[in-house]
Each structure stands twice: as C-alpha cells, then as structure tokens.
Amino acid sequence: TIVLDSEETQVEIEKRKAQVRDIVIRICRTKNSDDLREKEGNDSLRNEIITAINDILPVGQVIDIFFTDFIAT
C-alpha cells in the first residue's frame, strides 16, 4: 500500500502504474533474503522504494509504504 500526499499524486501514480511496478521489482531483485529478515533491511527497502518513486513524480510525493504481504526465501 502506498500512502500519498494528495489526490493529484494518486492520479499521477495511476498514470505511471507500470513504471512504479518496475521500480519496485527492480529494487526488490537487488535484495537477498538475509537483507530483508531484519527490521533494518525492511526499513532500507521501504526508504529506497519511496525515494525511487518520488524521483519520477513531477508533482506530489509518496509519504510511506506499507508491506501487506512479504515473502523472503
């Protein structure tokens, strides 16, 4: 779940849905299960995703991300 700062940002995220998914997938592929088992690893992943998505947004910003499902093998 992505928490955004405004409805305008929501519209922008919807327009860039494929790009956002690609960002998340690319970042997750750089991590291994050991990186993600600890809280610091999850926090790092969260911050990296937020920063990467914010970098592509011309307006607004991602405030937070909540992982609702998480599988590390």
Side-chain angles (χ1 to χ4, degrees):
T1 303
I2 301 175
V3 180
L4 305 169
D5 66 345
S6 69
E7 279 295 318
E8 185 179 14
T9 308
Q10 178 66 40
V11 170
E12 194 62 38
I13 287 286
E14 284 297 319
K15 287 195 289 190
R16 297 171 178 268
K17 186 182 264 185
Q19 192 176 10
V20 169
R21 284 179 184 257
D22 182 64
I23 287 169
V24 172
I25 290 167
R26 274 189 296 112
I27 291 171
C28 287
R29 284 186 177 155
T30 67
K31 308 301 178 194
N32 63 48
S33 60
D34 291 335
D35 294 335
L36 302 175
R37 291 191 197 281
E38 303 296 325
K39 182 183 180 327
E40 295 81 21
N42 283 331
D43 290 344
S44 173
L45 177 63
R46 176 179 283 112
N47 291 332
E48 197 172 338
I49 291 171
I50 289 170
T51 300
I53 295 172
N54 281 337
D55 286 346
I56 66 161
L57 292 175
V59 295
Q61 65 178 357
V62 175
I63 304 295
D64 204 354
I65 291 178
F66 297 103
F67 298 116
T68 54
D69 291 315
F70 203 86
I71 299 172
T73 59

